[in-house]
Amino acid sequence: MFDWPDSSWFRRLRLAVRNWFARNARDLPWRGTRDPYEIWVSEIMLQQTTTAAVGGYYRRFLDRFPDVKSLAEADLAEVYRLWEGLGYYRRAAQLHRAAAVVLEQYGGTFPEDFEAVLNLPGIGRYTAGAILSIAFEKRRPILEANTIRLHARLLGLRSDPAQSETNALLWEMAEKVLPKKAIGDFNQALMDLGSRVCLPKRPACLCEKTLWADAGSEGCPLVSLCRCAEAGLQNEIPAPKKKPTFEETTEIAVLLRRGKKVLLLRYPEGVRWAGLWDFPRFREDRPEMLSQMTGRNIVLGRTIATLRHTVTRFKITLRFFEGTDLGRCGKAAYETRWVSLAELKELPLNSTGRQLAESLADG
């Protein structure tokens, strides 16, 4: 049975968190609103994306889609275009699909029931808890990367947070620590503490006072309550994740011109970048893919550019070639379209596709 801290410890922790947050809360674009739609959009954008990267996207997205109805009735291509650069485009598709559910089943009013929210596309336990606690002051716990690290250190958990027993303990901690009121602010305070103070490397409790600037002048407000700090295990807790292994691969993208237009294809459902447009692209070791995708016989010419990027477990070298179209050779497996450079600016592309498109405009 786990040795939980006593009720006095939890009371002191809550007070310290509130006091720190009152002095050090970040001024973020989505702070200060209780609109569940706006909070929902921010939480989806923040999944696997840094706070710094999200800010501009968030405001532009809400300017175009200020409510559930406008998002639900929008064309998915426009949603993708505004999402372009954030990556993980499946989030945008799920957000769009969930907006349609909220409009159809709840009249455009975001539901307050936890199970109803959890059943929306793209929303898991953390996101549902964050929306409901911040928008409606529901007493719902949250657990994401920053609070996992914070709670694991506070409790001195040496085991891997991904293990089911440890994960269950962390969720229990996230629930036990909640106050009876101002739930949303408290959850946001915990995330801020994790992201600004209880850092993965060099947390505030291990740094010189001169390096505390982003954590507030007092450094970590929870150091006297932290089992990890007491034992000097900050570099061991939480247990380090296994380093990902990457597979090196080379892909070929092709610039095919017809007058002032270029050929693009759109990725179908079930493949990477589903719904996005791109220059015809294939793995170097599978050249037959080019004719299969486009239905055209294409001969490669000179190299225009070379890019390097990472997608999931792949480190990709992308080589951009000019191509010559020798005519049709069968039915195209993907939707294709000849577009002008002006149209190219409006279509949703993946990040490397956009870089290639911009290189054409620059030329």
Side-chain angles (χ1 to χ4, degrees):
M1 189 172 185
F2 185 71
D3 179 22
W4 288 100
D6 61 22
S7 58
S8 172
W9 183 92
F10 279 101
R11 283 196 300 271
R12 286 183 290 146
L13 185 146
R14 294 183 194 107
L15 180 60
V17 169
R18 285 197 192 99
N19 288 342
W20 179 86
F21 192 61
R23 295 187 293 271
N24 298 288
R26 289 180 292 180
D27 183 17
L28 300 173
W30 44 88
R31 291 272 170 89
T33 182
R34 297 296 177 184
D35 184 331
Y37 171 72
E38 295 183 4
I39 294 165
W40 174 28
V41 170
S42 73
E43 289 296 337
I44 299 299
M45 285 188 169
L46 286 163
Q47 292 173 1
Q48 298 175 291
T49 308
T50 64
T51 300
V54 166
Y57 287 93
Y58 175 74
R59 278 272 56 100
R60 288 192 296 272
F61 196 90
L62 289 185
D63 286 344
R64 173 58 188 87
F65 308 119
D67 51 34
V68 169
K69 187 174 188 294
S70 59
L71 177 58
E73 294 178 348
D75 188 280
L76 180 57
E78 187 179 7
V79 178
Y80 278 144
R81 185 66 182 93
L82 283 170
W83 200 272
E84 190 177 297
L86 275 176
Y88 300 100
Y89 291 90
R90 185 183 177 191
R91 296 177 298 169
Q94 290 174 329
L95 182 65
H96 181 253
R97 192 159 68 250
V101 174
V102 172
L103 184 63
E104 293 168 7
Q105 296 187 11
Y106 304 101
T109 299
F110 197 87
E112 296 186 36
D113 176 73
F114 179 73
E115 292 301 327
V117 176
L118 199 59
N119 285 329
L120 293 174
I123 293 185
R125 185 177 178 183
Y126 157 74
T127 303
I131 297 169
L132 292 176
S133 65
I134 298 169
F136 303 115
E137 290 296 339
K138 299 288 186 180
R139 200 170 185 276
R140 285 289 172 180
I142 61 164
L143 198 63
E144 40 74 66
N146 293 308
T147 48
I148 285 172
R149 182 171 59 256
L150 178 67
H151 292 329
R153 283 175 171 164
L154 285 169
L155 297 176
L157 295 176
R158 298 197 191 201
S159 50
D160 185 350
Q163 292 179 352
S164 58
E165 290 185 9
T166 308
N167 189 257
L169 277 175
L170 290 168
W171 273 109
E172 189 173 352
M173 170 64 173
E175 189 161 8
K176 282 178 176 289
V177 77
L178 289 178
K180 293 182 179 178
K181 58 183 180 180
I183 312 297
D185 284 348
F186 193 84
N187 273 337
Q188 291 178 93
L190 292 174
M191 288 189 282
D192 274 13
L193 272 168
S195 65
R196 300 174 61 197
V197 178
C198 195
L199 302 173
K201 297 180 179 179
R202 304 194 75 191
C205 58
L206 289 182
C207 291
E208 295 293 334
K209 190 171 183 178
T210 53
L211 300 178
W212 286 356
D214 195 44
S217 59
E218 70 270 36
C220 179
L222 304 180
V223 65
S224 65
L225 300 169
C226 182
R227 292 178 176 178
C228 178
E230 182 182 11
L233 297 173
Q234 293 94 326
N235 292 325
E236 299 176 35
I237 295 177
K241 295 180 180 179
K242 291 182 179 179
K243 290 186 178 181
T245 56
F246 292 98
E247 181 180 335
E248 298 275 354
T249 187
T250 298
E251 293 183 353
I252 307 296
V254 183
L255 172 64
L256 204 63
R257 295 183 185 272
R258 178 183 286 176
K260 294 185 178 181
K261 294 187 175 184
V262 298
L263 183 68
L264 295 186
L265 56 78
R266 182 155 65 174
Y267 294 105
E269 288 298 318
V271 304
R272 187 176 73 190
W273 298 317
L276 300 181
W277 292 88
D278 194 10
F279 296 92
R281 181 188 308 224
F282 60 95
R283 278 177 36 180
E284 187 179 47
D285 61 348
R286 292 192 58 194
E288 72 278 4
M289 290 175 61
L290 181 59
S291 58
Q292 291 172 2
M293 289 188 297
T294 63
R296 311 196 73 81
N297 186 11
I298 299 169
V299 176
L300 300 184
R302 70 180 181 93
T303 302
I304 303 171
T306 300
L307 303 175
R308 290 177 177 82
H309 64 115
T310 302
V311 178
T312 59
R313 62 184 182 87
F314 296 97
K315 285 189 175 181
I316 300 171
T317 298
L318 176 63
R319 302 172 66 193
F320 193 32
F321 284 83
E322 281 189 342
T324 301
D325 182 14
L326 300 182
R328 288 191 175 276
C329 62
K331 184 178 180 181
Y334 288 10
E335 179 184 352
T336 60
R337 184 191 300 182
W338 293 94
V339 303
S340 66
L341 294 185
E343 291 175 297
L344 195 55
K345 293 179 180 179
E346 302 302 319
L347 292 173
L349 309 178
N350 57 48
S351 58
T352 50
R354 181 59 60 193
Q355 290 180 61
L356 297 178
E358 289 175 351
S359 72
L360 299 180
D362 293 340

